[in-house]
Amino acid sequence: MAAREEKIDPQTQSSIAIGVDSEKLESWWLINASPDLPRQIESATQLQPHGNASRNTPIAGVFLTNADIDHALGLLLLRQQEKRLVVYATDETRATLAWIDRALARFCGIEWRTVTPNFQSLDFGMAFRAISLPGSVAFQFRDDTSGRTALLAPSVGSLTEQLRNAVYTSDLVMFDGTFWSDGELGRVRPGARSAREMNHLPINDGSFDVLRQSPAGRKIYIHINNTNPILMPGSHERAQLERAGIEIARDGLEMLL
């Protein structure tokens, strides 16, 4: 409602692009493919077709944190690629998305690749690993030239020891900020599930202290639900994050690792 009244900027659904620019290669990988992907591609020239590649974008593939609709529906919108779409995901996510697999088989098709807890090489000087979580995974990317790392964790139901270690050792942390409080959704929709029941750790009594204490150069909340008061400038909740040096994601945000 605030966005429609132009009190805040509207935002598309959570999706992140990560890539390496070089003279030999310009490719980008998505962490989750949102239903808003066409609009996101149109707003980011780096993801648009170059030269004579009128039907393909520089998107080389997709990493899925889980099988949520808002993370996977964008796969269908990449159906007209000339090559099979590379998708990294767990076996559980692949099984749940069998319907998308069948739908894309008539078009470009999917080349499924399994994720592992050990770093795998991806592109020119970039590697990644998966951090298993209940019902999802987080991804940690590493620039092999600088050794700097980025943690991307948009769907976190609990703080495992491995994830906590990654929060404290990464140079950039992008973390699940879906809900501020556990019962937030129930206040606008009676009977709704709690944040934890939806596999999202709330900020105020779940992830805030961990991110506040992390020595990461940049800490950013992402995947923010439209009920979360941190979206409102001047709110007490937003001010609390700002005092702690934690940022709030927005459309078009760019970071250099």
Side-chain angles (χ1 to χ4, degrees), residues 41-92:
I41 290 175
E42 287 306 312
S43 65
T45 57
Q46 305 96 319
L47 303 181
Q48 296 169 8
H50 295 165
N52 295 324
S54 59
R55 293 176 69 87
N56 281 339
T57 81
I59 296 173
V62 181
F63 291 85
L64 293 178
T65 58
N66 56 22
D68 286 358
I69 287 292
D70 60 343
H71 292 164
L73 201 58
L75 297 178
L76 294 173
L77 306 175
L78 294 170
R79 65 188 180 278
Q80 295 186 13
Q81 292 202 148
E82 294 175 357
K83 297 180 180 179
R84 285 199 297 168
L85 179 63
V86 175
V87 179
Y88 284 94
T90 64
D91 292 339
E92 180 183 8

Side-chain angles (χ1 to χ4, degrees), residues 17-198:
I18 186 168
V20 177
D21 288 335
S22 72
E23 295 180 358
K24 296 182 180 180
L25 176 69
E26 190 177 80
S27 64
W28 294 84
W29 294 82
L30 300 182
I31 294 84
N32 294 328
S34 88
D36 294 322
L37 186 56
R39 178 177 167 187
Q40 292 165 340
I41 290 175
E42 287 306 312
S43 65
T45 57
Q46 305 96 319
L47 303 181
Q48 296 169 8
H50 295 165
N52 295 324
S54 59
R55 293 176 69 87
N56 281 339
T57 81
I59 296 173
V62 181
F63 291 85
L64 293 178
T65 58
N66 56 22
D68 286 358
I69 287 292
D70 60 343
H71 292 164
L73 201 58
L75 297 178
L76 294 173
L77 306 175
L78 294 170
R79 65 188 180 278
Q80 295 186 13
Q81 292 202 148
E82 294 175 357
K83 297 180 180 179
R84 285 199 297 168
L85 179 63
V86 175
V87 179
Y88 284 94
T90 64
D91 292 339
E92 180 183 8
T93 293
R94 177 178 180 177
T96 304
L97 295 177
W99 63 279
I100 285 184
D101 202 358
R102 290 191 297 270
L104 287 184
R106 300 176 54 204
F107 297 94
C108 63
I110 297 179
E111 179 183 330
W112 293 97
R113 296 184 183 178
T114 304
V115 297
T116 72
N118 301 315
F119 275 105
Q120 306 176 58
S121 294
L122 186 61
D123 267 338
F124 287 66
M126 186 163 63
F128 75 95
R129 70 182 181 110
I131 299 173
S132 295
L133 301 169
S136 68
V137 294
F139 291 103
Q140 188 177 36
F141 291 85
R142 183 183 68 204
D143 181 333
D144 286 335
T145 300
S146 65
R148 296 173 66 82
T149 57
L151 174 67
L152 308 179
S155 184
V156 178
S158 63
L159 273 165
T160 64
E161 182 179 356
Q162 190 178 27
L163 180 63
R164 188 184 295 267
N165 289 339
V167 169
Y168 285 117
T169 58
S170 296
D171 299 285
L172 165 67
V173 174
M174 301 190 77
F175 203 89
D176 185 349
T178 307
F179 297 109
W180 174 261
S181 60
D182 196 39
E184 175 180 314
L185 196 57
R187 287 191 284 275
V188 296
R189 194 174 72 200
R193 290 180 295 167
S194 70
R196 287 183 169 87
E197 287 173 339
M198 297 176 68

